[in-house]
Amino acid sequence: MGAIEAADHVATVPTTHEVRPVVVRKTPKFPSRERHMAIRRKKQTPCCPLDEKTCQACKCPRDTHAVYHQQLTSVRDRLGFKSDSHTSKIDARQLGYTWAPPGLLTSAKVKKYFDLIPPEKVPKIASTGERYRDKQLAYQLPKQDLAMTYCKHVEPQHRSSYEDFVSARNEIALDIGFVKDAPNATKCVGCTESLKQGDLAVIAPKFRDSMMWHPRCFCCTACQELLVDLTYCVFDDKLYCERHYAEMLKPRCNACDELIFSGEYTKAMSKDWHTTHFCCWQCDESLTGQRYVLRDDHPYCIKCYENVFANTCESCNKIIGIDSKDLSYKDKHWHEACFLCNKCRISLVDKQFGSKADRIYCGNCYDMQFASRCDGCGEIFRAGTKKMEYKTRQWHEKCFCCCVCKTPIGTKSFIPREQEIYCAGCYEEKYATRCVKCNKIITSGGVTYKNEPWHRECFTCTHCSTSLAGQRFTSRDDKPYCADCFGELFAKRCTACTKPITGIGGTRFISFEDRHWHNDCFICALCKTSLVGRGFITDGADIICPECAKQKLI
């Protein structure tokens, strides 16, 4: 069978860059990576500056560093809340936990409470649940939202706005829930399923007394996480963690994670930034008044992007900048102006081309130097044409045809013979075996007689037309006869029984003068004794043994 193969020619695809303008101010630079890591090794301190969400040394998320796994005071102390009647009197660490829910609960009910929340979120000491709680404390209750002491980017003229925000939030929205037995049957506010009387329920003092939650349902409406240490904010009669409550009222800088109280800030990449914090991901230089390129959700200045990501032109060995089209083929790249035929130097942009030995050529130059030729017409295979191949030979699609009827073979079956190609019909017509008798093609089986082919049904007795296939036969004058017909037509006849002597099967016979006998028929006419191998005497038409001859003479 022939095979279809496309010539080695492809089209070019230009690469584009997403370049965006933004107006921001210069950001303070952080120490170099080497100095940063040296300080970390010397002081054994976390490697993330607290005023950035991402480590400037290793670019990892801040919450993966040890900065959050420090000894934390209770949430109540952290928020500046005084103890009240709901403050737990149980030492959580004696029960094996880092925290116990507020409320007048016994040790048994504390354990029952933790049985009602997902196991991986239970704050057992030295467990996944403890690390989960530490992370949620830092995420849901960021210190920079709680006190000015932890803020580094609130300008003096905006500090009063910060204090007003904190005071209003603490008075109106922020509080800590507690746990108690449900006084009567009601529905959970979170899942609307039933809370039976005596079930442990979470109460939020900022809401009505009748509003209760299953422990597993006391979650932030925005992030759907359990509210850490039952600390919540209320907004439009819904539960929120402090982080998401604050972000509904104030924008938060994506770099330093602080709320923005200034009237002006930068909005880029669908996020908010202090005007001094929108910087190049690679060099930390400000993008003020500059264009930037977004790559993997990170902004880069033009210089860094070109140094880190831009490709080098295969022709001129210069960087392909963001303002140039990047034409690529098989991991190689060119400027638009450099994408030329290696021989005639014509531009190949938006044109078919060929590649040979890592060099590119226009269609004409490639064909003249490298294109193979058709074994049918001798012409070259031009770019983009289909090629039919069989063993070491190749043809144009239209040239791959039967040498007899000239019909294109395409993907149909064909039969090769010497240097010619035949369709099935023409090959059979010219070379297929034909029956000597009817001259038709023998498609299956057949009989060979005297080196000539016959259909089984055509190989018959010349006289009676009985099929001789698989039967004993003999021939006369090169014509086949069955045993019966041959005996009747050509065999000698026995003088005694007058039947033909055919010799088929090894039958012996005796001849005397012009007469012939079967072995069994060669007997004395008087005593019927076999005369085979004995002397005999003729008596007219009969033959007799010597004994009978003597008796007859006497």
Side-chain angles (χ1 to χ4, degrees):
M1 293 293 293
I4 299 176
E5 179 185 277
D8 183 22
H9 300 78
V10 300
T12 59
V13 179
T15 302
T16 58
H17 309 275
E18 184 183 10
V19 183
R20 303 182 178 187
V22 68
V23 178
V24 291
R25 298 193 183 94
K26 188 174 182 180
T27 305
K29 293 186 66 176
F30 292 97
S32 66
R33 176 179 176 84
E34 292 75 11
R35 182 167 177 267
H36 185 93
M37 298 306 290
I39 293 173
R40 184 185 181 200
R41 289 192 296 271
K42 181 177 180 181
K43 296 185 177 181
Q44 294 299 306
T45 58
C47 75
C48 280
L50 289 178
D51 58 346
E52 289 290 335
K53 285 187 71 175
T54 307
C55 175
Q56 298 303 301
C58 61
K59 296 295 184 184
C60 57
R62 181 173 65 173
D63 56 11
T64 63
H65 287 277
V67 66
Y68 290 141
H69 302 294
Q70 53 186 304
Q71 291 296 328
L72 299 170
T73 59
S74 70
V75 170
R76 188 170 293 277
D77 293 338
R78 186 169 176 176
L79 299 178
F81 288 3
K82 295 180 180 180
S83 298
D84 57 22
S85 59
H86 300 298
T87 303
S88 177
K89 302 298 190 294
I90 292 177
D91 185 352
R93 291 193 167 269
Q94 289 185 352
L95 299 179
Y97 304 105
T98 59
W99 165 82
L104 302 178
L105 303 177
T106 63
S107 298
K109 288 191 175 182
V110 169
K111 292 181 179 179
K112 181 179 178 182
Y113 170 84
F114 285 127
D115 288 340
L116 298 174
I117 65 176
E120 70 276 8
K121 297 181 180 181
V122 176
K124 289 184 179 180
I125 295 173
S127 70
T128 302
E130 179 186 13
R131 292 188 291 274
Y132 169 79
R133 175 177 175 257
D134 286 349
K135 188 172 181 178
Q136 291 303 312
L137 280 169
Y139 180 75
Q140 295 187 24
L141 298 172
K143 287 187 175 183
Q144 61 272 21
D145 285 15
L146 305 179
M148 180 67 72
T149 306
Y150 302 105
C151 294
K152 296 188 177 181
H153 301 289
V154 177
E155 298 175 351
Q157 64 270 30
H158 301 128
R159 290 184 178 179
S160 60
S161 298
Y162 176 92
E163 297 293 351
D164 291 343
F165 171 80
V166 170
S167 297
R169 178 200 62 203
N170 290 355
E171 181 178 348
I172 299 171
L174 185 62
D175 201 358
I176 298 175
F178 63 92
V179 178
K180 73 172 186 178
D181 294 337
N184 47 50
T186 185
K187 287 187 177 181
C188 170
V189 178
C191 67
T192 70
E193 293 181 4
S194 297
L195 267 166
K196 298 178 182 178
Q197 185 174 358
D199 286 349
L200 288 182
V202 180
I203 309 298
K206 294 286 185 182
F207 289 86
R208 300 189 305 274
D209 291 342
S210 61
M211 298 180 70
M212 301 180 190
W213 289 261
H214 289 111
R216 69 175 181 276
C217 298
F218 200 64
C219 300
C220 172
T221 302
C223 63
Q224 297 301 311
E225 290 289 348
L226 290 177
L227 288 163
V228 64
D229 291 10
L230 302 185
T231 305
Y232 69 94
C233 285
V234 58
F235 187 85
D236 287 342
D237 290 330
K238 293 181 181 179
L239 289 172
Y240 291 91
C241 64
E242 191 284 328
R243 168 180 290 275
H244 290 111
Y245 168 82
E247 290 176 2
M248 287 189 292
L249 302 176
K250 294 290 182 182
R252 186 181 297 276
C253 178
N254 189 61
C256 68
D257 205 36
E258 291 187 20
L259 297 174
I260 301 172
F261 289 90
S262 61
E264 295 181 359
Y265 61 93
T266 298
K267 199 168 189 68
M269 299 164 51
S270 301
K271 298 173 182 176
D272 301 321
W273 315 72
H274 284 109
T275 54
T276 56
H277 286 178
F278 190 62
C279 305
C280 172
W281 184 255
Q282 181 71 16
C283 67
D284 296 325
E285 289 293 338
S286 170
L287 295 176
T288 302
Q290 299 185 40
R291 295 180 301 164
Y292 71 95
V293 182
L294 192 62
R295 172 86 178 218
D296 298 329
D297 292 330
H298 300 307
Y300 292 86
C301 65
I302 303 303
K303 181 179 179 182
C304 287
Y305 181 85
E306 292 182 346
N307 288 339
V308 176
F309 301 109
N311 298 303
T312 301
C313 178
E314 190 72 17
S315 178
C316 66
N317 291 322
K318 294 181 180 179
I319 292 292
I320 303 175
I322 63 169
D323 294 320
S324 302
K325 282 187 178 180
D326 184 339
L327 303 181
S328 63
Y329 173 67
K330 287 189 176 179
D331 298 326
K332 298 182 183 296
H333 301 265
W334 292 265
H335 290 102
E336 185 176 15
C338 297
F339 196 60
L340 308 174
C341 172
N342 189 69
K343 184 173 180 65
C344 68
R345 309 308 292 171
I346 189 174
S347 175
L348 300 179
V349 177
D350 297 327
K351 296 179 181 178
Q352 288 184 325
F353 65 93
S355 173
K356 191 77 171 180
D358 293 333
R359 295 181 178 180
I360 54 176
Y361 299 86
C362 66
N364 290 333
C365 291
Y366 181 89
D367 290 342
M368 293 300 296
Q369 293 193 71
F370 309 112
S372 52
R373 294 183 178 272
C374 173
D375 284 313
C377 66
E379 296 294 327
I380 61 175
F381 291 98
R382 297 196 176 276
T385 55
K386 286 185 178 180
K387 182 190 299 183
M388 310 298 293
E389 292 187 341
Y390 176 70
K391 293 186 176 179
T392 59
R393 305 178 69 196
Q394 51 194 1
W395 297 264
H396 291 107
E397 189 175 20
K398 66 179 180 180
C399 297
F400 189 59
C401 56
C402 174
C403 64
V404 177
C405 65
K406 304 302 180 184
T407 301
I409 293 174
T411 57
K412 295 182 293 187
S413 298
F414 63 91
I415 302 171
R417 185 181 176 91
E418 296 178 351
Q419 296 299 311
E420 302 291 348
I421 298 295
Y422 295 84
C423 66
C426 290
Y427 183 86
E428 288 184 353
E429 187 67 28
K430 189 169 184 178
Y431 296 107
T433 302
R434 293 180 178 273
C435 176
V436 171
K437 184 175 183 179
C438 68
N439 201 37
K440 294 182 180 179
I441 295 172
I442 300 175
T443 57
S444 62
V447 175
T448 300
Y449 173 63
K450 292 187 178 297
N451 295 322
E452 291 182 330
W454 305 65
H455 287 111
R456 292 177 65 87
E457 60 271 19
C458 292
F459 189 61
T460 59
C461 173
T462 305
H463 185 256
C464 68
S465 299
T466 299
S467 176
L468 300 179
Q471 305 295 322
R472 293 183 302 171
F473 69 93
T474 187
S475 65
R476 186 179 183 88
D477 298 331
D478 291 334
K479 295 179 180 180
Y481 293 88
C482 65
D484 293 340
C485 289
F486 184 85
E488 291 292 334
L489 295 174
F490 307 110
K492 296 179 176 65
R493 291 186 176 272
C494 178
T495 301
C497 68
T498 70
K499 292 181 179 179
I501 303 172
T502 61
I504 295 175
T507 303
R508 295 180 180 182
F509 67 96
I510 292 96
S511 294
F512 176 71
E513 294 180 350
D514 293 329
R515 292 186 291 175
H516 309 278
W517 294 265
H518 291 107
N519 262 22
D520 294 339
C521 295
F522 193 60
I523 59 177
C524 175
L526 298 176
C527 66
K528 307 302 181 184
T529 302
S530 175
L531 298 177
V532 177
R534 295 174 58 187
F536 63 90
I537 298 171
T538 60
D539 184 18
D542 297 327
I543 54 173
I544 57 175
C545 64
E547 289 76 9
C548 288
K550 288 179 181 180
Q551 290 292 330
K552 191 173 182 181
L553 290 175
I554 294 173

